[in-house]
Amino acid sequence: MASRQVAVVTGSNKGIGLAIVRALCKQFTGDVYLTSRDPKLGEAAVKELQGEGLTAFFHQLDITDLQSIRRLRDFLKQKYGGIDVLINNAGIAFKANDTSPFEVQADVTLRTNFFATRDVCNELLPLIKAHGRVVNVSSIISVRALSGCSQDLQQKFRSDTITEEELVTLMEKFIKDTKDGVHSKEGWPNTAYGVSKIGVTVLSRIQARMFNEKRKGEGILLNACCPGWVRTDMAGPQATKSPDEGAETPVYLALLPPDADGPHGQFVSDKKVGKW
């Protein structure tokens, strides 16, 4: 099986994730894995795709559980010898009317969207094969949140030399600053989701540099992207795009031709490289 190609999509039993799996089933030459925390929901989504004449495979993955990530890692390594396409789509957002205190929202949102996504990358990026594609689903809200940061923070987040450790320290500082009630004074915007996605976008830029340094010449491309405002449980019914439309940019990046040399380390929206 090691020669067979494989694509993995995190958080893909519904919404944009499921739409990405659907598109990959139609366009990717290899096995496509739909993952979710709850096996029942994942298996049901695979069945739904079967009803459309599409074949996806299910593997359990809770990105907040390191053992769950490692089980997936070991399975993919053993069965496929690595990963060809990884799309980090899993994430959460509190609803606008949620009454949880801001520091709770900050902690929970960053633990999932940034720290858990980073854990998945730490375990799975070493498995990416030559000419592999990695797509981290971020959000245009990260760009807006960045412009709401102090000049000092903006400079740090835009730096071409920021390290992963420095980024982690900043993300931890945001959580602490919200607990201490000083996040505004410390230059942070009032959006936990936005800050979590700043983390994802900057992490993507750092990871792309790492591939340039450690796996030069292997043609691996890694990008962050914004799927757009999509009608999902997360964004609600007012959003302008269908899930299938939201999947377009992540799938475009996942299926960049083998000889493509870019985009890489970029923030991509509507299939176009945006300014960070």
Side-chain angles (χ1 to χ4, degrees):
M1 279 304 283
S3 61
R4 190 158 173 76
Q5 288 206 315
V6 63
V8 182
V9 187
T10 73
S12 51
N13 62 286
K14 62 178 183 177
I16 297 168
L18 179 57
I20 291 171
V21 170
R22 179 183 289 115
L24 288 175
C25 284
K26 294 174 183 172
Q27 299 173 56
F28 176 73
T29 52
D31 294 346
V32 182
Y33 278 81
L34 180 156
T35 69
S36 66
R37 267 184 305 197
D38 181 339
K40 275 200 204 72
L41 295 175
E43 299 285 8
V46 166
K47 276 211 176 63
E48 182 187 326
L49 292 171
Q50 262 167 0
E52 299 171 24
L54 301 171
T55 303
F57 299 89
F58 174 73
H59 199 288
Q60 194 275 343
L61 175 66
D62 176 353
I63 69 164
T64 64
D65 174 359
L66 206 47
Q67 293 322 111
S68 172
I69 299 170
R70 287 176 175 160
R71 278 193 297 273
L72 175 63
R73 176 200 67 190
D74 294 347
F75 167 79
L76 292 166
K77 198 171 184 175
Q78 190 257 319
K79 184 159 183 172
Y80 297 94
I83 303 169
D84 299 281
V85 171
L86 172 64
I87 302 184
N88 285 305
N89 167 74
I92 59 157
F94 281 80
K95 298 279 184 246
N97 60 1
D98 194 292
T99 54
S100 309
F102 188 62
E103 65 268 22
V104 171
Q105 296 195 24
D107 192 27
V108 172
T109 306
L110 266 76
R111 294 277 160 232
T112 303
N113 294 0
F114 175 74
F115 288 97
T117 299
R118 176 174 172 258
D119 287 341
V120 171
C121 290
N122 286 343
E123 298 297 334
L124 299 189
L125 289 190
L127 267 65
I128 299 295
K129 295 179 186 176
H131 302 289
R133 304 287 178 251
V134 182
V135 184
N136 295 328
V137 178
S138 183
S139 169
I140 197 73
I141 292 169
S142 70
V143 177
R144 287 184 209 141
L146 182 66
S147 63
C149 287
S150 66
Q151 285 307 115
D152 177 53
L153 283 173
Q154 286 189 41
Q155 206 173 345
K156 285 175 176 160
F157 288 133
R158 287 200 174 102
S159 161
D160 289 331
T161 54
I162 185 173
T163 64
E164 194 170 322
E165 291 68 33
E166 287 166 343
L167 176 59
V168 165
T169 301
L170 285 166
M171 293 289 113
E172 282 169 344
K173 184 179 188 300
F174 173 69
I175 295 172
K176 185 178 186 304
D177 288 347
T178 62
K179 286 193 169 75
D180 297 343
V182 296
H183 72 278
S184 296
K185 188 162 92 35
E186 290 294 313
W188 296 102
N190 244 340
T191 161
Y193 183 77
V195 172
S196 77
K197 293 301 193 179
I198 288 176
V200 171
T201 303
V202 177
L203 183 64
S204 305
R205 287 160 56 89
I206 294 167
Q207 290 167 344
R209 286 197 337 248
M210 180 274 293
F211 276 126
N212 290 349
E213 288 158 20
K214 296 193 174 153
R215 311 230 357 226
K216 203 166 174 54
E218 291 190 40
I220 296 167
L221 299 177
L222 181 152
N223 292 283
C225 74
C226 175
W229 192 30
V230 180
R231 290 187 291 280
T232 59
D233 290 352
M234 191 188 277
Q238 304 304 312
T240 46
K241 285 186 178 183
S242 70
D244 289 330
E245 289 168 329
E248 281 177 15
T249 294
V251 170
Y252 155 73
L253 292 169
L255 300 179
L256 288 167
D259 57 350
D261 57 3
H264 178 56
Q266 302 291 342
F267 178 81
V268 181
S269 200
D270 287 325
K271 300 186 192 174
K272 289 194 275 294
V273 171
K275 192 174 169 341
W276 177 246

